[in-house]
């Protein structure tokens, strides 16, 4: 008997077997090398750090921060090594049931090994997962320019971010959440340090070439020959000092975060015992500000549906957007010059160099995701990514949202002049919290009818 | 089919054992899925022993969290192993058909292989092996289901159909669905394991897996719909056909739900439907239930389409004695 | 029936192709994925890591920190000059003005022109070149931080000061002369600010730290608006005027001063160091980082007239 179908089936089974094998082999390199921290190549290319420095920057970072499997924290960072060890490495549990490798277990699939927000699933998520490296966090209780406090990071982990893929980790034991907070800070500090190392490299002067007697070599004109100074804090103590001073400076930002918490004036905070009419009046005042002085309508739209100014980018996307725009500009310029023809020798050399440079840029661009616009929040849905408590909304209004187009209305630093008074900001908070209950069909007329339910 | 079936009164025991084994294997599959969901595969870093204790003597009920899930999987695996052994013994004693006996040996060999694969995943701490282990698990489940089907009284007393035309088409369609469902399972395994891989290509594998998963889902829906329709129309395996259709419908919902509770809404969906109002909770019951049910239903779909294929083949009198040999007699070196 | 056969066949074909495609893509990944991805940059090498870590963990007293430059001279001098464009002055494109404020952000119905590279057609001077001393050992009284404030106005959705250089300690008066609201967003390395500025109102911002290069100022409501902002620790900085001229008075004489020159149209984003390779730049040993060193005698009034070829400004 002949079984054409079965023969086919077998062929398919074989093919599928091959597929599985291929997946295995593809992923097989997974085990060949332990995961490694990667450099921010966009920054390296945009800052025009010579490519020869990449390896050295990577080495210095490796010395200061270790690897994803073996994190290391200099004493200057004040990070808790025990917590880092708990959060880093592959996922496993010891005999007592303590879990290790928490970051790899809970975070890495979105935020990536390096904390660059580019884990395997990141491309599919909206918004893209946070890139920790610039150490800018949106939802915090501190001033716009300040770092978040540990409590802020802890709160985001516990509450998640509504409306996004970021889940709540409230089911994890407290010690595990704390370890994750520490590890997130560690990745941020590492990212900031990477940025700082580009500055260190930028500041490096070329050094003189010396012969075996320690005498500087000279060219025909008698000028000393110069060469690239390597970045190596082990051989150049002054580089070490400079790196440490950068570290100290950025750590100051983290260590003083608690001093930069926005504390609303006690007498301005609306009580919980307000009458519905008072709340209505406050929300009405907020509505006037929304369309008037505070100008929220510009971005959140005249209907507050988030349909105002939608073409801007947040910092993270803006970097990539501008990077891609610049690539377009570069290739345009090359095309134009090729089209012009008749190049002298220097111009031709320049063209070749520019092409090499462009190829490098395009290589980096191939690893990027499509930049997305920062869409202002639709305030009628009642989804507040940074938390729905009145104080959370107040913080957003007061200082804006760091890294995004959202500006603040309060003073940018203690003692400075704010756009609005605190009482006005509380009015806005009342209005924003009443918006989900206002019929969007008549946004300018309707009054918040269900305000007392919100509060 | 009136060979020598009537001469020996067939024993019901192989069929009963096969049912028992299939019923033990199904939870084994979804507990395995739960292990992946919780990333509990490395809850113990040793195998055959759990934290140094031989795994059968490990105090499972005092374990918590990942260790409970992972060790539960190990125990269920052991149970499936013992049941497979029992099945092989019973089949050799009570079954007259040689290929069924061989099949029972194959079941036994597979369970051992599968266990070793799982063990190596732990010993080598190798996620790729976990992926393969996840792909071969349903194959073992298929073997168990096959045992159930071929040892059944219905099979032994099978009636061949007079009109074979439509049934042959149903058979081909069922085989196709089985193949697609299995491919979908492999892609699904890649989709679940690649996010936790740390190599740079993991993102690419995940992306590819997502797209394939969607394309295959569309194909499966179309073909299963067709299969169910044919089954219904030609009065062939109507119950299983309808069950398959229902399972696929459920599976689509479970799949969407799994994505939603894990990765939220994609941007295009947000634009269409607005944002979700709830927050996901990592490792909560909803996530575990949805994702794990999705895995379990995948195996059931696979099993249901195989059942249709086998039973229609039986009705078509497709050289039944040879059928398993064609499939397993060639590449098989174990038995 | 026919449809069924077609579907089945196409299904088989599709599957064949799908599997093949899957296989080939996976093979591709296998080949490319296993290679070290160049565009992801190198990873740390354990040997150097160990050596450098040793250096970091050993005592910090290996080097007496010299900190600021050491004063060697006395008296004061003045540096002035002009940046002259060599080439055809570029035509600036209009800003991409969009949104509901289109009318209010236009002049006589036209969008305002960009100010990336402004060349005065008469003198060929380049406006908005920033020049500052990187590290001064001595600072003259007149260059010390003072409490004057700098008005930073915006009208018709254009920042009226395109490059605002100031001394830390001064305040920036962010003014809005438009009938609609703006917000002013400064994204510096050390100075971050984002506050809404209502119509016809003024805010103040006091930068606390100096920036090594000018940083961008933007308005999120009108994303085309662009300006730059540079706070420095002392007053030794200048932004060229419309005719390309600048003057930095009372710089310390008798010591080597390192100047940094910056322009917006250099580099990828937010400007970059202006690198000159002209003979006069060579005589100043102009570096790849847009820096040159100079030593002035007491009471000297040095004039630097620098020609900037179009290619140096990305042209």
């Amino acid at each position: 008997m002949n079984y054409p179908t079965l023969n086919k089936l077998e062929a398919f089974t074989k093919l599928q077997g091959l597929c599985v094998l291929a997946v295995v082999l593809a992923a097989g390199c997974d085990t060949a090398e332990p995961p490694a921290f990667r450099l921010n190549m966009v920054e390296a290319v945009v800052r025009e750090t010579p490519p020869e420095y990449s390896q050295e920057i990577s080495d210095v970072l490796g010395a200061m921060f270790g690897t994803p499997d073996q994190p290391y924290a200099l004493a200057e960072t004040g990070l808790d090594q025990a917590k880092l060890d708990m959060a880093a490495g592959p996922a496993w549990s010891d005999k007592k049931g303590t879990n290790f490798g928490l970051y790899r277990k809970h975070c890495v699939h979105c935020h990536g090994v390096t904390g660059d927000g580019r884990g395997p699933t990141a491309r599919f998520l909206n918004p893209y997962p946070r890139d920790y490296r610039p150490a800018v966090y949106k939802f915090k209780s501190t001033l716009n320019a300040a770092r978040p406090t540990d409590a802020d990071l802890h709160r985001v982990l516990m509450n998640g971010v509504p409306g996004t893929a970021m889940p709540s980790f409230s089911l994890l034991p407290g010690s595990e959440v704390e370890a994750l907070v520490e590890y997130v800070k560690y990745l941020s500090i590492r990212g900031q340090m990477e940025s700082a190392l580009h500055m260190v490299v930028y500041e490096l002067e070329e050094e003189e070439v010396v012969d075996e007697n320690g005498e500087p070599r000279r060219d025909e004109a008698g000028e000393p020959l110069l060469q690239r100074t390597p970045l190596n804090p082990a051989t150049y103590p002054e580089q070490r000092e400079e790196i440490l001073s950068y570290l100290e400076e950025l750590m100051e930002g983290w260590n003083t975060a608690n001093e930069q918490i926005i504390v609303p004036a006690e007498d301005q905070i609306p009580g919980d015992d307000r009458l519905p009419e008072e709340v209505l009046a406050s929300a009405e005042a907020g509505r006037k500000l929304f369309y008037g002085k505070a100008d929220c309508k510009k971005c959140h739209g005249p209907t507050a549906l988030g349909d105002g100014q939608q073409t801007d980018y947040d910092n993270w996307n803006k970097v990539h957007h501008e990077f891609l725009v610049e690539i377009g500009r570069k290739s345009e310029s090359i095309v134009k010059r090729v089209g012009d023809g008749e190049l002298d020798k220097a111009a031709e050399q320049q063209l070749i160099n520019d092409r090499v440079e462009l190829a490098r840029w395009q290589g980096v661009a191939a690893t990027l995701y499509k930049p997305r616009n920062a869409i202002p929040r639709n305030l009628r849905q009642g989804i507040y990514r940074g938390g729905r408590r009145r104080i959370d909304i107040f913080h957003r209004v007061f200082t804006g949202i760091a890294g995004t187009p959202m500006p603040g209305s309060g003073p940018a630093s203690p003692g400075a002049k704010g756009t609005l008074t605190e009482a006005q900001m509380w009015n806005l908070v009342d209005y924003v919290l009443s918006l989900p209950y206002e019929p969007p069909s008549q946004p300018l007329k309707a009054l918040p009818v269900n305000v007392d339910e919100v509060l | 089919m009136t060979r020598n079936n009537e001469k020996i009164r067939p024993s019901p025991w192989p069929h009963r054992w096969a049912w028992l084994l299939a019923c033990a294997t199904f939870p084994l599959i979804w507990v395995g899925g739960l292990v992946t969901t919780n990333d509990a595969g490395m809850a113990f870093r040793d195998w055959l022993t759990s934290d140094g204790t031989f795994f059968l003597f490990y105090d499972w009920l005092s374990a918590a969290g990942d260790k409970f899930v992972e060790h539960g999987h190990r125990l269920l695996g052991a149970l499936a192993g013992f049941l497979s052994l029992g099945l092989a013994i019973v089949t050799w004693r009570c079954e007259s058909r040689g290929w069924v006996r061989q099949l029972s040996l194959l079941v036994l060999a597979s369970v051992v292989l599968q266990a070793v694969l799982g063990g190596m995943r732990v010993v080598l701490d190798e996620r790729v092996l976990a992926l393969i282990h996840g792909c071969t698990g349903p194959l073992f489940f298929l073997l168990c289901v096959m045992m159930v089907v071929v040892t059944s009284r219905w099979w032994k007393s099978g009636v061949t159909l007079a009109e074979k035309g439509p049934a042959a088409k149903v058979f081909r369609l069922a085989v196709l669905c089985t193949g697609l469902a299995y491919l979908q399972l492999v892609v699904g395994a890649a989709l679940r394991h690649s996010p936790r891989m740390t190599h740079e290509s993991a993102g690419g594998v995940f992306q590819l897996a997502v797209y394939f998963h969607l394309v295959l889902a569309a194909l499966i829906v179309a073909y299963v719909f067709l299969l169910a329709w044919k089954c219904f129309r030609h009065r062939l395996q109507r119950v299983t056909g309808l069950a398959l259709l229902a399972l696929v419908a459920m599976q689509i919902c479970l799949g969407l739900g799994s994505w939603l509770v894990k990765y939220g809404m994609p941007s295009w969906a947000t634009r269409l439907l607005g944002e979700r109002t709830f927050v996901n909770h990592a490792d909560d019951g909803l996530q575990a239930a949805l994702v794990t049910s999705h895995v379990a239903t995948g195996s059931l779909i696979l099993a249901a389409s195989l059942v249709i294929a086998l039973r229609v083949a039986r009705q078509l009198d497709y050289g039944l004695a040879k059928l398993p040999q064609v499939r397993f007699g060639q590449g098989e070196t174990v038995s | 029936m026919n449809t069924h056969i077609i579907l089945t066949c196409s299904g088989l074909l599709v599957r064949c192709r799908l599997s093949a495609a899957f296989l080939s893509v996976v093979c591709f990944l296998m080949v490319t994925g296993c290679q070290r991805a160049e565009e992801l940059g190198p990873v740390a090498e354990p040997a150097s890591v160990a050596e450098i870590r040793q250096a970091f963990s050993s005592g910090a007293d290996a080097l007496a920190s010299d900190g600021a430059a050491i004063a060697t001279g006395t008296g004061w001098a003045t540096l002035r000059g002009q940046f002259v464009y060599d080439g055809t002055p570029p035509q600036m494109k209009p800003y991409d003005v969009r949104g509901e404020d289109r009318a209010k952000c236009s002049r006589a119905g036209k969008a305002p022109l960009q100010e990336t590279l402004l060349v005065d057609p008469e003198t060929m001077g380049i406006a908005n070149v920033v020049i500052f001393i990187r590290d001064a050992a001595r600072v003259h009284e007149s260059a010390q931080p003072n409490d004057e404030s700098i008005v930073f106005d915006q009208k018709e959705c254009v920042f009226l000061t395109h490059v605002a250089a100031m001394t830390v300690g001064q305040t920036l008066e962010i003014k809005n002369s438009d009938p609609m609201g703006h917000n002013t967003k400064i994204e510096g390395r050390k100075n971050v600010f984002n506050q809404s500025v209502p119509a016809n109102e003024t805010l103040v911002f006091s930068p606390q730290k100096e920036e090594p290069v000018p940083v961008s100022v933007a308005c999120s409501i009108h994303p085309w608006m662009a300006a730059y902002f540079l706070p420095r620790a002392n007053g030794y900085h200048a932004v060229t005027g419309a005719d390309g001229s600048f003057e930095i008075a009372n710089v310390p004489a008798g010591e080597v001063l390192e100047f940094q020159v910056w322009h917006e149209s250099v580099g990828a984003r937010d400007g970059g160091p202006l690198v000159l390779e002209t003979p006069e730049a060579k005589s100043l040993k102009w570096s790849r980082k847009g820096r040159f060193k100079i030593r002035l005698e007491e009471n000297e009034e040095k004039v630097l007239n620098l020609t900037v070829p179009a290619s140096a400004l990305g042209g």
Side-chain angles (χ1 to χ4, degrees), chain B residues 122-149:
Chain B
V122 172
V123 172
L124 304 174
D125 189 5
E126 174 56 81
R127 191 164 289 281
V128 176
L129 284 181
L131 201 163
I132 301 176
H133 182 68
C135 293
T136 47
L139 282 184
F140 173 70
F141 182 51
L142 280 192
L143 282 181
C144 302
V145 171
M146 201 166 184
M147 272 310 277
V148 172
V149 174

Side-chain angles (χ1 to χ4, degrees), chain B residues 87-109:
Chain B
L87 176 70
I89 294 170
V90 169
T91 311
W92 275 88
R93 286 181 64 108
C94 311
E95 178 61 57
S96 58
R97 290 170 293 172
W99 62 271
V100 178
R101 288 170 161 207
Q102 283 172 15
L103 191 60
S104 74
L105 277 190
L106 181 65
V107 168
L108 185 59

Side-chain angles (χ1 to χ4, degrees), chain A residues 8 12 15-16 18-19 22-23 25-26 29 33 36-39 41-43 46-48 54-56 58-60 62-67 70 72 74 76 144-145 195-196 199 201-205 223 232-235 237-238 240-241 243-244 246 249 252 293-295 297-299 309 311-313 315 318-319 322 326 329 361 363-364 367 399 401 403-412 416-419, chain C residues 12-13 15-16 19-20 22-23 26-27 29-30 33-34 36-46 48-63 65 93 98-101 104 134 180-185 187 189-199 201-206 208-209 212-213 218-224 258 260 267-270 273 285 288-289 291 293 314-315:
Chain A
K8 263 183 199 161
F12 285 131
L15 201 54
Q16 283 162 26
L18 271 177
C19 287
V23 171
L25 288 175
C29 7
E33 312 153 19
F37 287 130
R38 289 300 193 166
L39 293 183
M41 291 313 280
V42 174
E43 180 159 29
V46 170
R47 291 203 179 281
E48 294 177 341
S54 294
Q55 182 64 55
E56 289 161 11
S58 196
D59 291 346
V60 174
M64 296 177 81
F65 296 96
T67 66
Q70 282 171 316
Y72 174 80
L74 288 172
E76 286 86 342
N144 196 311
S195 221
M199 282 311 289
V201 168
Y202 177 72
E203 299 290 332
L204 283 183
E205 304 278 349
E223 292 290 329
N232 187 344
T235 45
E238 68 277 9
R240 197 193 71 160
E241 295 310 308
I243 290 169
L244 287 178
Y246 270 109
E249 190 182 334
E252 196 194 328
K293 195 173 181 187
D295 230 350
K297 68 163 193 304
K298 272 273 154 40
C299 295
Q309 161 59 39
T311 55
D312 208 358
Y313 295 89
N315 287 8
K318 196 170 208 156
V319 171
E322 286 176 352
E326 179 63 19
R329 215 176 288 145
W361 280 56
V364 175
T367 66
T399 198
I401 299 177
T404 76
M406 168 83 178
S409 294
K417 183 184 170 216
T419 309
Chain C
L12 290 172
L13 271 174
R15 268 181 65 207
C16 262
S19 310
F22 189 61
L23 186 69
V26 168
C27 286
L29 280 178
M30 202 168 82
C34 276
R36 175 138 293 164
E38 283 293 322
E39 50 280 349
L40 296 172
V43 299
E45 276 169 7
S48 341
V49 163
E51 187 196 359
I52 299 169
R53 186 173 293 175
Q54 178 66 32
F56 275 118
S57 50
S58 64
D61 49 15
L63 183 84
S65 65
K93 291 179 195 156
R98 286 193 241 177
E100 56 165 327
D101 291 332
K104 291 180 207 158
R134 277 166 43 77
M180 68 282 186
H182 284 294
N183 73 309
T184 300
K185 186 169 192 261
E187 281 293 332
R189 288 184 151 269
K190 293 166 187 175
N191 298 282
V192 175
F193 178 83
N194 185 4
Q195 196 170 335
S196 57
V197 196
E201 285 207 23
T202 303
L203 292 177
V204 292
F205 172 51
S206 319
Q208 300 301 310
K209 284 177 179 164
V213 285
C219 168
S220 312
I221 300 173
H222 310 102
W224 61 87
E258 191 179 18
Q260 170 80 57
R269 64 162 207 269
D270 298 349
K285 290 192 192 157
R288 302 285 308 160
K289 289 171 181 164
R291 299 172 192 166
K293 286 183 185 160

Side-chain angles (χ1 to χ4, degrees), chain A residues 97-277:
Chain A
T98 312
N99 294 319
F100 291 85
L102 302 168
Y103 184 78
R104 208 83 51 91
K105 182 167 177 170
H106 298 293
C107 320
V108 83
H109 47 96
C110 299
H111 292 285
V113 172
T114 314
D116 52 4
R118 300 170 51 76
T121 65
R123 189 186 289 275
F124 289 95
L125 304 185
N126 180 40
Y128 292 133
R130 179 63 48 250
D131 175 359
Y132 304 138
R133 294 172 303 179
V136 175
Y137 292 85
K138 282 159 86 166
F139 305 120
K140 57 187 182 183
S141 58
T142 54
L143 289 166
N144 196 311
R147 303 277 84 83
T149 64
D150 285 9
D152 290 332
L153 294 176
H154 197 273
R155 193 179 317 109
V156 171
L157 280 177
M158 292 305 277
N159 295 348
V161 181
T164 76
M166 174 72 186
S168 147
F169 291 95
S170 53
L171 297 174
L172 263 54
S175 61
E176 296 191 4
V177 177
E178 275 167 34
L180 283 173
V181 167
E182 197 76 353
Y183 196 73
V184 166
K185 281 173 68 181
Y186 159 81
L187 289 174
S188 267
I189 294 167
R190 186 197 158 280
Q192 287 177 292
M193 201 59 227
E194 181 178 347
S195 221
L197 287 178
H198 284 286
M199 282 311 289
V200 173
V201 168
Y202 177 72
E203 299 290 332
L204 283 183
E205 304 278 349
E206 289 189 314
E207 64 179 7
E208 293 182 347
V209 187
V210 291
D211 56 20
E212 52 275 21
N213 302 327
E215 292 293 317
R217 288 181 192 273
R218 293 175 187 280
D219 61 10
E220 294 95 37
E223 292 290 329
L225 283 175
L226 297 177
Q227 66 179 10
R228 180 183 82 95
T229 309
L231 176 72
N232 187 344
T235 45
Y236 296 89
E238 68 277 9
Q239 288 181 9
R240 197 193 71 160
E241 295 310 308
E242 202 185 343
I243 290 169
L244 287 178
S245 75
Y246 270 109
L247 181 63
E248 193 184 336
E249 190 182 334
L250 70 89
M251 282 319 299
E252 196 194 328
W254 287 98
N255 297 336
T256 57
N258 280 324
E259 296 155 26
Q260 310 215 39
I261 296 176
I262 301 161
V263 185
E266 283 289 337
D267 53 342
Q268 301 287 332
I269 304 175
D272 292 329
D273 50 354
R274 287 184 296 169
L275 298 170
E277 304 83 80

Side-chain angles (χ1 to χ4, degrees), chain A residues 337 343-356:
Chain A
R337 272 180 286 163
L343 295 171
D344 61 14
K345 218 162 198 183
E348 205 158 299
Q349 187 56 44
Q350 183 65 39
L351 188 64
I352 292 168
N353 293 348
D354 286 355
R355 277 188 163 154
V356 171

Side-chain angles (χ1 to χ4, degrees), chain B residues 139-269:
Chain B
L139 282 184
F140 173 70
F141 182 51
L142 280 192
L143 282 181
C144 302
V145 171
M146 201 166 184
M147 272 310 277
V148 172
V149 174
V150 301
T151 52
S152 67
R153 211 187 299 160
W154 181 91
W155 183 278
K156 289 176 202 159
S157 64
V159 195
T160 51
L161 289 166
E163 197 203 346
K164 294 195 173 166
K169 277 162 198 155
V170 168
F171 171 71
R172 281 200 291 273
L173 210 47
V175 169
L176 179 64
C177 286
T178 314
L180 283 176
Y182 184 66
L183 192 58
Q184 180 73 321
L185 240 140
V186 172
V187 173
L191 200 155
R192 293 214 330 130
H193 284 279
S194 57
R196 290 208 173 93
M197 290 178 179
T198 47
H199 193 265
E200 281 82 32
S201 57
V205 174
F206 182 77
Q207 193 184 5
L208 212 63
V210 171
Y211 294 154
F212 267 84
H213 209 58
L214 292 174
V215 171
L216 281 170
L219 280 178
I220 290 173
V221 167
Y223 280 112
V224 162
F225 195 78
L226 198 63
L227 176 65
W229 164 244
K230 294 275 168 203
C231 286
F232 206 75
R233 188 153 160 232
H234 301 297
R235 302 185 160 273
L236 288 161
Q237 308 302 329
R238 287 176 115 177
V239 177
T240 326
L242 281 182
L244 180 61
L245 192 61
L247 281 174
V248 168
M250 186 166 100
Q251 182 71 335
I252 297 287
C253 300
L254 285 173
L256 291 177
S258 304
W259 184 273
L260 204 63
V261 296
K262 189 87 184 154
Y263 300 126
M265 298 245 278
S267 39
W268 57 267

